[in-house]
Amino acid sequence: MSKNTKRLISPYIAIFIIIAVVFFLSTNYAGKTNTLTYSVFKQKLAKNKVETVEISPSKESSVYTITGKLKGYSKGEKYVVKAPLSDETLSTINGYQTKNKFEVEFSSDPSSTLFVKILSWVPYILIAGFALFLLNKQLSTANKSMDFGKSRAKLQSDKDKVTFDNVAGLVEEKEELKELIDFLKDPKKFTKMGARIPKGVLLVGNPGTGKTLLAKAVAGEANVPFFFISGSDFVELYVGIGASRVRDMFRQAKQNAPCIIFIDEIDAVGRQRGTGLGGGHDEREQTLNQLLTEMDGFGTNEGIIIVAATNRPDVLDPALLRPGRFDRQITVSLPDKNEREDILKVHAKNKTFNEAVKLKHIAERTVGFSGADLENLLNEAALLTVRRNKDAIGMSELDEAYDRVIMGPAKKTRQYTEHEKQVVAYHEAGHAVVGIKLDGADDVQKITIIPRGQAGGYNLMLPKEEKFLATKNELLDKISGYLGGRVAEEIMFKEVTTGASNDFEKATKIARSMVTEYGMSELGPIQLEEETASVFLGRDYNKNKNFSSQVAFKIDEEVAKIINTQYDVAKKIIKDNKDLLDLIAKSLLEKETLTREEIEYLVEHKKLPTEEDLIKEKKSKEKEEKTKKTKEKEDK
């Protein structure tokens, strides 16, 4: 007998044994019962053999049921007598009771007592309940095994619905998706003109840019069912389960059409089919094949729109991206300054800020932040405010939160030697001086010599304005800015440290890209390197190199030439502005952290400002900006 057969039969065997035991106990637990005739009972009375008598009248059968115990009976043993329901029977028993002094007790008819009737059925009810419990458990186990191939897609509840009002920024992306909403609300308007709405929309963008939120908003605006699932929920150990889940997901969607299916992280199931280094993945490939068939195969899925999100579109299978499946790709970009301000307003609704906090200024400082980063920034600031026992979030908490998000918490317990502290101060001051003096370099926003993460200090430098393109001179100035720290160390201490390793990494990456990708060297406008197209070997490990070993040598020469030239530029700037370098470094040693306003005041007035000085400077600048805007309006 197989294990499965034993597992299925064993509950029923157990039920049979339990019923037999209960039946045996119910018939034998009370002890032996002797049935006597009425005449024999009277003889026992006459011979004084009766110890106890219990009389129960039964009006239905016109008899007395007499039970009790005779002398010589064992424990639990009793007799039962059926006697006529008459006064003569009672007088006979009373006569002998007076003479022999045995116990007599009258009770009601047990068959007429509802409680007794119910009590007699209790064992059987318990057995039936236990049997049903075991049977239900067996069926639920079987259902789970049958449920293994069912879709894991969940239907969004009404309380979780969001609309475009909840999505800040992403103006162009929302415009693109409004077509889907119009189609779901009024499909006849499109079909009448012979137009076909996209079957699938792929949202592409960096993590945290709001792809999932955007998909939810589409469903909320259209007021249609919204099924959501992750790409990893399809792939299982056993081949064929993922394909079964895809079929079941589309079956559910057809029953709820028109609707939206949202597949998050679709690259988990939609990767390019191929062998790769480690062999194929049959389960994932079969799942992908089924998804391709359901999206655009022999059948039709009218009213079902697939919205998927990924930050790795380069690894997706071409068959998935072709028209008829994912017809449209929408790039969800990182927010610009205005969009960042709108996002901050959304996340600031349930938080308390003091009057000094301006979300516009925070948006200006958070270049390159995604929506998720901005939410995390405000949350960190709120946590710091609670930790400091304050009633409102201030700029100091936001500054500290920014530093924590970028570099990690401050290492206050890490102790510098006095020499190390000076080296770090001059290193960071060197970056600042080059950034201040070169037009193409980034603006200095903040300098600190407090250790954070793996860094002994850091210099926050942001672009003067957000742009899509960078000129050659701007890239060269950026390289000089990265090299400023090492130059300051060399000039001031006549020795160098390991603190500039990350600066060299960034500078070298820019220089190599200028030579091999941007055509900004003497080798000419030629693209010599590109990222590999082999997704199975890893996108960051290999690059296609379209050049010979002789050209490789020239590339190395050009990169070294750019780095060395900009090193000399940084050296000249720092030597010419040694007083400014000393001023910034000494101010850092005194205060440890300098903000943009303090640095600007240092450059102009050659001393550290007080709080009153900063307030006056701020009011002066605001007045100048106001005058300038008024003049521009008058000119117009």
Side-chain angles (χ1 to χ4, degrees), residues 303-512:
I304 301 174
I305 294 176
I306 310 294
V307 180
T310 182
N311 55 1
R312 291 291 307 275
D314 55 309
V315 304
L316 295 180
D317 195 279
L320 196 63
L321 301 176
R322 74 156 174 82
R325 290 191 177 117
F326 283 111
D327 310 80
R328 185 176 296 177
Q329 288 190 32
I330 297 177
T331 301
V332 184
S333 307
L334 289 169
D336 60 21
K337 184 175 69 175
N338 295 328
E339 289 175 332
R340 289 196 297 273
E341 186 177 352
D342 292 337
I343 293 169
L344 286 168
K345 286 177 181 176
V346 170
H347 294 304
K349 284 180 180 177
N350 61 341
K351 295 177 176 64
T352 306
F353 296 89
N354 63 30
E355 296 178 357
V357 174
K358 303 294 181 186
L359 295 179
K360 182 180 179 182
H361 296 160
I362 300 171
E364 290 172 353
R365 291 179 53 188
T366 50
V367 178
F369 274 45
S370 66
D373 293 330
L374 294 169
E375 190 277 333
N376 187 39
L377 173 68
L378 294 185
N379 186 60
E380 285 288 343
L383 292 173
L384 283 168
T385 305
V386 174
R387 202 177 302 165
R388 294 174 179 180
N389 296 318
K390 292 186 177 181
D391 297 328
I393 300 170
M395 282 306 299
S396 61
E397 285 76 36
L398 286 164
D399 284 337
E400 176 64 19
Y402 184 93
D403 294 340
R404 291 171 71 91
V405 170
I406 296 293
M407 299 293 294
K411 305 287 186 181
K412 295 180 181 178
T413 57
R414 185 185 296 177
Q415 296 296 323
Y416 280 131
T417 64
E418 200 60 38
H419 177 68
E420 280 180 325
K421 197 171 184 180
Q422 287 184 349
V423 171
V424 172
Y426 274 96
H427 180 102
E428 301 303 335
H431 287 305
V433 170
V434 177
I436 290 167
K437 294 300 178 181
L438 284 178
D439 293 334
D442 293 339
D443 274 349
V444 180
Q445 300 289 328
K446 185 178 183 179
I447 316 171
T448 181
I449 58 172
I450 298 173
R452 287 183 182 273
Q454 298 298 319
Y458 85 97
N459 195 322
L460 177 61
M461 302 176 74
L462 298 175
K464 291 180 174 62
E465 55 184 348
E466 296 179 45
K467 299 192 298 184
F468 288 102
L469 301 175
T471 65
K472 181 179 178 179
N473 287 333
E474 287 172 345
L475 293 175
L476 292 173
D477 288 350
K478 279 189 177 183
I479 293 172
S480 297
Y482 286 128
L483 298 174
R486 166 57 70 85
V487 171
E489 290 178 17
E490 184 180 340
I491 290 174
M492 297 305 300
F493 301 99
K494 309 302 180 187
E495 62 179 353
V496 293
T497 68
T498 59
S501 60
N502 186 246
D503 299 330
F504 295 157
E505 180 186 345
K506 293 176 181 177
T508 305
K509 188 175 181 180
I510 294 174
R512 190 167 188 89

Side-chain angles (χ1 to χ4, degrees), residues 5-19 131-132 134-136 138-139:
T5 306
K6 287 180 180 178
R7 190 173 70 246
L8 291 171
I9 292 175
S10 57
Y12 302 103
I13 296 173
I15 292 170
F16 175 77
I17 292 171
I18 292 168
I19 291 173
L132 287 172
L134 289 178
L135 189 61
N136 185 51
Q138 287 287 318
L139 290 173

Side-chain angles (χ1 to χ4, degrees), residues 26-37:
S26 64
T27 55
N28 293 283
Y29 181 74
K32 186 179 179 182
T33 302
N34 300 313
T35 304
L36 305 178
T37 61

Side-chain angles (χ1 to χ4, degrees), residues 166-185:
N166 304 108
V167 184
L170 303 177
V171 178
E172 292 80 7
E173 290 83 352
K174 286 191 281 192
E175 285 294 329
E176 285 285 323
L177 290 169
K178 279 182 180 177
E179 272 187 14
L180 301 183
I181 297 166
D182 291 340
F183 170 76
L184 290 168
K185 286 182 175 179

